[in-house]
Amino acid sequence: MIHRHWRLAALLLFVSFATAKAQFSTAITSDDVMRHIRILAQDEWQGRGSGTPGGAAAAAYLEEQLRAFGVAPASADGSYRHTFEFVSAARLGKGNRLAISAKGKSRSLRVNDDFRPLGFSASASFNGPVVFAGYGISLPDRGYDDYAGIDVKGKAVVIMRYSPWGDKPPMEFQASTSLRAKVLKAKEKGASAVVVIIGPADTDTDVPMKLSYDRQAGSADLPVISMRRALVEGWIGDPKQALKILQDSIMSSKQPRSFAFDQITLDLQTDVELVRAKADNVVGMLEGTDPKLNHEIIVIGAHYDHLGMGGEDSGSLRPDTLAPHNGADDNASGTAGVLELAHYFAEPSHRLKRTVYFLAFAGEEMGLLGSSAYVNAPSTPTSRMAAMVNMDMIGRLTDRKLIVYGVGTAAGLDSLVSSKNIDSTFVLKLNKDGFGPSDHSSFYTKKIPVLHFFTDLHGDYHRPSDDWQLINADGTRQVLDMVAEVMRALGDAPGRPVYVQAEMPRPMGGGDGRSSRVYTGTIPDFGEQSEGMKLAGVREGSPSAKAGLQAGDVIIKFGKVDIKNLYDYTYALGEYKVGDSVPVTVRRGDRTLTVTVTLERRN
Ligand SMILES: [Zn+2]
């Protein structure tokens, strides 16, 4: 019985093998590109979300193709899979409870109906008095401070969403109106819990906010809930002080109206569970042909994950539309590129002298999670990696425009790339920076020269409409022809490219917005973080470099602000001005040291 089934399974596998192999030519062709893209971007795989069945189906397809093309498995366990874990969502634990006692009378409230913790709330408890702190914004140097004249130490603060200017405040207030910034400000002012309501001027609805998990930055240090404003209305009791009157007066006068509630105490317990999931990077390799060079590796990579069915926390630009975000360009095109190049270089006559690793990453849309997991636990030492070539969105070539990042990350990369623009096929836009919003960044943090190919953004970016019908398959084939030539130059050159810390113009800031006003030159490590903000590096000649900060340091305090994550750090920057000398405490290995960083202007 079993024997017969096994055979059938083998036959099926062989058929798919044969079909896979037979279906694709070893040459790089637009037909093959489109065939891979249509398979990867099919509705059935529901946008290839990391940790979802669609994502797993895509990983299985990649493994099957690599095996069919004769590419060897290259994960540490001898498989094609490099598995990593990540937080996929936040959910309510069983321990959420809230009781309010007003003028001696106590009342229990219902989770979900009356209140709900926010996704970044700590799982913690609070029992004590409550203060109304308006919008929870404190910018005295801008003439507005909800915390002026009130003491919130050890108390809970009730704050409204948005700002006295509604949800579109002036630039200099923008960074202070996010809920995270308000919670950090409340913490900084000594509050022990935060209650978020939405003002009657902003909406008629009055329901607790959805529990969502934003990836950027771990959880806050204190319990944070959203609550129906009607409950707070009940505490006020004085119709002249009704919330509508309060909010209207703050919005019209641009002056705060904060006060302590009389005889109101909260007894709060929050319980938020972070849901963990697993996803696979797919890893294959072709051994180099030259024994003197094949200990060195050229990495070719692309992320295969996308936004799944979309929704609020997915990064979709149509968050209201739950539908397959097919990601034909982002990034089925780059993934098809990895497969096409694997098939091409597997051909004996096309083999390179150096070894080639083919990497397809998951978790990119969640913050480069797959690639940073890979470089932090690689299946072979990163020191063997002579260069990394990344492709993310190469499917919509328009007006021959091709953008290549990273040409400043090793000597001669810019002329190498330009030299492979045969017959000026492309209008090349070269950018020196090795850091940017895709997986090459993770490799650059390990001091590996990188190149990143990109045919630019378009109107379907991060929307369900990023479909295969809009793909310029022949344009992608042309990009891959060029990438293949660049890889050949890197793979067969006598010497490996020499890493350079790309000298970069200071990133541009917006107007004199809060957090973008000052410049420190730190480069955050986007991998999963523990307590503090880990540095992937510091920019050459920057204030941080001058202060002696270095890659691997974990910033735990910036001036007066405790730093738990990237978000706290961005927030802390907003608290200081150009020219300020700020004590910065870092963990370096098992030591803790404090240096002084003198802030400079961001150009
Ligand atoms: Zn992408």
Side-chain angles (χ1 to χ4, degrees):
M1 177 63 183
I2 292 174
H3 187 59
R4 197 153 35 78
H5 282 318
W6 185 86
R7 266 225 196 104
L8 182 60
L11 183 64
L12 273 177
L13 197 60
F14 177 76
V15 167
S16 70
F17 242 0
T19 341
K21 193 157 172 102
Q23 199 182 26
F24 296 94
S25 86
T26 58
I28 298 169
T29 69
S30 53
D31 285 353
D32 286 358
V33 165
M34 188 53 106
R35 208 170 286 144
H36 286 307
I37 289 177
R38 289 189 64 168
I39 289 168
L40 289 161
Q42 60 181 287
D43 280 350
E44 288 70 24
W45 290 358
Q46 300 198 327
R48 307 184 304 280
S50 297
T52 71
Y61 176 72
L62 289 163
E63 174 172 342
E64 180 203 288
Q65 294 300 314
L66 291 177
R67 183 182 284 114
F69 299 157
V71 173
S75 196
D77 63 5
S79 77
Y80 286 92
R81 304 300 178 100
H82 177 273
T83 307
F84 65 95
E85 207 179 78
F86 61 97
V87 174
S88 61
R91 70 175 171 220
L92 287 181
K94 294 193 176 45
N96 291 289
R97 60 171 178 73
L98 173 60
I100 297 175
S101 88
K103 305 193 171 55
K105 272 209 243 77
S106 181
R107 171 185 168 198
S108 288
L109 299 179
R110 290 154 304 159
V111 67
N112 284 327
D113 300 334
D114 298 320
F115 78 98
R116 191 182 285 130
L118 295 189
F120 63 88
S121 170
S123 292
S125 59
F126 167 79
N127 189 325
V130 198
V131 173
F132 177 71
Y135 288 98
I137 294 171
S138 174
L139 283 175
D141 58 349
R142 303 261 167 212
Y144 185 88
D145 186 359
D146 280 309
Y147 288 92
I150 54 168
D151 171 17
V152 301
K153 286 190 185 51
K155 299 173 184 154
V157 290
V158 172
I159 56 173
M160 293 185 288
R161 293 192 69 180
Y162 312 123
S163 79
W165 296 268
D167 63 355
K168 292 194 177 35
M171 177 67 151
E172 63 270 29
F173 282 85
Q174 277 175 10
S176 311
T177 55
S178 75
L179 279 174
R180 275 196 183 266
K182 290 180 177 186
V183 169
L184 284 168
K185 181 55 71 181
K187 195 176 94 183
E188 192 193 305
K189 297 292 180 182
S192 301
V194 176
V195 177
V196 179
I197 59 172
I198 189 161
D202 297 304
T203 170
D204 300 336
T205 58
D206 185 20
V207 291
M209 292 167 59
K210 260 185 62 178
L211 176 69
S212 65
Y213 179 73
D214 72 3
R215 202 150 301 296
Q216 288 314 323
S219 69
D221 252 350
L222 66 182
V224 184
I225 63 170
S226 73
M227 195 164 77
R228 289 190 301 113
R229 67 169 170 271
L231 295 160
V232 175
E233 202 77 89
W235 305 344
I236 295 175
D238 168 358
K240 283 199 297 316
Q241 281 262 61
L243 264 179
K244 181 87 177 66
I245 295 170
L246 275 176
Q247 189 179 19
D248 289 350
S249 120
I250 297 172
M251 294 184 90
S252 55
S253 67
K254 302 292 184 279
Q255 284 307 311
R257 296 283 305 272
S258 305
F259 61 89
F261 287 101
D262 179 31
Q263 295 181 61
I264 302 289
T265 60
L266 293 191
D267 181 8
L268 170 65
Q269 171 73 54
T270 51
D271 182 4
V272 175
E273 290 170 356
L274 297 182
V275 182
R276 293 188 158 269
K278 287 187 174 163
D280 289 340
N281 297 317
V282 179
V283 196
M285 72 115 172
L286 287 170
E287 186 85 27
T289 56
D290 182 333
K292 285 198 297 306
L293 294 177
N294 63 11
H295 63 288
E296 293 175 353
I297 295 169
I298 304 297
V299 175
I300 180 82
H303 76 90
Y304 70 86
D305 69 299
H306 196 45
L307 307 179
M309 295 296 283
E312 228 169 278
D313 323 325
S314 69
S316 169
L317 294 177
R318 286 277 300 282
D320 50 354
T321 309
L322 285 184
H325 285 55
N326 304 75
D329 185 28
D330 189 8
N331 186 30
S333 64
T335 308
V338 167
L339 291 176
E340 276 296 277
L341 291 165
H343 203 184
Y344 173 79
F345 283 115
E347 190 64 21
S349 62
H350 298 159
R351 296 292 282 263
L352 298 179
K353 292 180 177 173
R354 287 186 172 81
T355 295
V356 184
Y357 267 46
F358 300 90
L359 289 174
F361 306 108
E364 190 271 354
E365 301 289 4
M366 295 172 162
L368 313 183
L369 296 185
S371 57
S372 57
Y374 183 78
V375 297
N376 288 313
S379 55
T380 191
T382 53
S383 57
R384 291 184 59 199
M385 299 175 187
M388 192 274 184
V389 178
N390 191 52
M391 301 173 289
D392 191 349
M393 299 177 64
I394 56 167
R396 301 274 292 257
L397 185 72
T398 308
D399 305 330
R400 300 167 39 230
K401 183 180 170 188
L402 179 63
I403 304 164
V404 185
Y405 287 86
V407 296
T409 64
L413 278 184
D414 44 4
S415 51
L416 166 62
V417 171
S418 303
S419 73
K420 300 304 176 191
N421 185 17
I422 313 299
D423 308 329
S424 303
T425 306
F426 302 105
V427 176
L428 278 182
K429 203 162 167 292
L430 303 183
N431 181 307
K432 284 193 169 74
D433 202 355
F435 292 109
S438 192
D439 297 299
H440 57 294
S441 276
S442 302
F443 289 78
Y444 192 53
T445 65
K446 300 299 177 189
K447 301 200 176 331
I448 297 164
V450 296
L451 287 172
H452 170 56
F453 289 80
F454 173 48
T455 53
D456 214 353
L457 291 176
H458 45 74
D460 304 293
Y461 172 70
H462 278 203
R463 293 170 177 81
S465 55
D466 177 2
D467 290 319
W468 66 267
Q469 291 87 343
L470 302 166
I471 291 292
N472 172 358
D474 199 49
T476 308
R477 191 266 311 159
Q478 290 174 315
V479 173
L480 294 176
D481 283 344
M482 178 173 180
V483 171
E485 287 313 307
V486 168
M487 284 180 65
R488 182 166 303 288
L490 293 169
D492 290 350
R496 62 190 282 178
V498 181
Y499 169 83
V500 170
Q501 169 113 35
E503 183 36 49
M504 278 316 310
R506 290 193 194 155
M508 301 302 289
D512 63 351
R514 238 170 70 102
S515 62
S516 62
R517 195 173 55 214
V518 298
Y519 171 63
T520 61
T522 54
I523 299 157
D525 181 325
F526 292 101
E528 284 279 292
Q529 303 267 348
S530 57
E531 294 292 296
M533 188 192 84
K534 188 174 174 194
L535 293 181
V538 292
R539 290 187 187 276
E540 193 93 7
S542 69
S544 300
K546 289 175 197 157
L549 292 183
Q550 60 192 45
D553 285 351
V554 179
I555 296 180
I556 52 176
K557 194 159 182 136
F558 189 95
K560 60 181 184 303
V561 183
D562 296 327
I563 305 296
K564 281 187 52 168
N565 47 51
L566 175 60
Y567 193 93
D568 294 1
Y569 177 71
T570 318
Y571 166 84
L573 284 182
E575 296 293 290
Y576 294 92
K577 286 188 282 303
V578 174
D580 285 353
S581 290
V582 182
V584 177
T585 305
V586 298
R587 236 192 0 261
R588 182 176 294 171
D590 52 14
R591 286 187 311 134
T592 297
L593 61 139
T594 299
V595 299
T596 302
V597 176
T598 304
L599 306 179
E600 295 173 12
R601 176 171 300 288
R602 188 184 284 276
N603 289 350

